[in-house]
Amino acid sequence: PWLPRPARAPREPLWFGAQRFRLGSEPGGLVPPNERWSHELPLLEFEIDAQAVSWARYAEFAGDGGYDDAQWWTPEGWAWLQADSRRAPRYVEQMRQGVLVHRHGQMQRVGATQAAVHVSRHEAQAWCRWAGRRLPTEPEWELAALGGASRGFVWGDVFEWTGGSARAWPGGGDSLPGFEPLPAPGRCGVLRGASWMTRPRCKHPRARRFEPLHADALFCGFRSCAL
């Protein structure tokens, strides 16, 4: 069944202090190749959004001419934008006076406090540059998802783009029957979390999904970190 999309009241970003963190999954059960294996690494202090960027926040970027200004885009992202004649995220027909989307043959107005969705990583990165922020790294996202719930960190509304490219963790990455092989380094970005349509038993804060940077057909969005 189609579930209603959650709307979120704005929350202040969360701050996490410098620490050591174990990234990835521990052995035990069927662990996907892209989550193998848990390893410790240092993290510097960082500030991260408590929830995914909303349509209201994203619409400010579009309204400020974000799709017309190459300074906010990577060269690859700008080339994709021009080739696709993109003026807004996929399915969006209007972003002024509210966001209007066209899905399943119908026009629908979406809530301003819902997470922006069908956003490519090119668009997520451009928004971050415009806002003077950045995408979180995978360790930052995973730490916040595991340890920030009691402080208001919310995930699971949309799959979320992170910085960096898809790669295997140290000691992992070997292919397993039933799993796709990992992409070549630099070819794909990483989505973390889950969407509001993901079955609860499939939601896992250490799960990783690899997609091309232009992918936007998924229920994908993003959150940001302070520079």
Side-chain angles (χ1 to χ4, degrees):
W2 185 262
L3 302 175
R5 290 184 57 194
R8 306 282 181 192
R11 290 177 177 267
E12 291 298 314
L14 304 178
W15 179 87
F16 290 84
Q19 56 189 284
R20 297 194 67 82
F21 173 65
R22 292 199 67 82
L23 177 69
S25 295
E26 301 284 352
L30 181 60
V31 179
N34 58 12
E35 295 175 27
R36 301 183 176 196
W37 291 110
S38 175
H39 56 288
E40 187 174 270
L41 74 172
L43 274 179
L44 300 176
E45 63 182 21
F46 65 97
E47 178 201 279
I48 187 169
D49 290 338
Q51 55 208 32
V53 169
S54 67
W55 278 122
R57 295 178 71 192
Y58 193 87
E60 293 178 9
F61 164 70
D64 196 37
Y67 281 84
D68 300 310
D69 196 336
Q71 70 172 313
W72 308 127
W73 300 79
T74 63
E76 183 183 2
W78 185 250
W80 166 80
L81 188 71
Q82 301 307 303
D84 209 42
S85 301
R86 185 63 63 90
R87 306 293 303 164
R90 179 184 284 263
Y91 306 122
V92 173
E93 297 289 329
Q94 170 189 300
M95 297 200 75
R96 297 180 184 275
Q97 290 86 46
V99 178
L100 198 64
V101 300
H102 186 267
R103 291 296 311 275
H104 309 298
Q106 297 181 336
M107 299 297 288
Q108 179 183 6
R109 193 172 298 278
V110 298
T113 59
Q114 292 177 347
V117 69
H118 297 301
V119 177
S120 70
R121 204 180 88 166
H122 293 313
E123 291 167 303
Q125 287 179 297
W127 184 95
C128 287
R129 285 189 177 186
W130 169 83
R133 295 179 69 80
R134 62 174 176 83
L135 292 176
T137 65
E138 287 198 73
E140 289 168 342
W141 193 96
E142 191 169 305
L143 169 65
L146 288 167
S150 63
R151 299 167 54 195
F153 188 90
V154 177
W155 64 276
D157 291 349
V158 290
F159 290 100
E160 299 180 31
W161 291 108
T162 56
S165 63
R167 60 186 178 88
W169 294 150
D174 293 336
S175 61
L176 291 174
F179 291 94
E180 294 184 3
L182 269 62
R187 292 192 59 187
C188 289
V190 184
L191 289 160
R192 301 299 303 260
S195 83
W196 80 99
M197 288 294 290
T198 304
R199 296 179 184 275
R201 64 183 176 82
C202 296
K203 293 184 177 181
H204 193 290
R206 297 193 188 274
R208 309 169 77 203
R209 183 168 185 159
F210 300 158
E211 297 290 343
L213 304 190
H214 63 266
D216 57 9
L218 302 165
F219 296 128
C220 48
F222 66 103
R223 74 181 69 215
S224 67
C225 285
L227 293 174

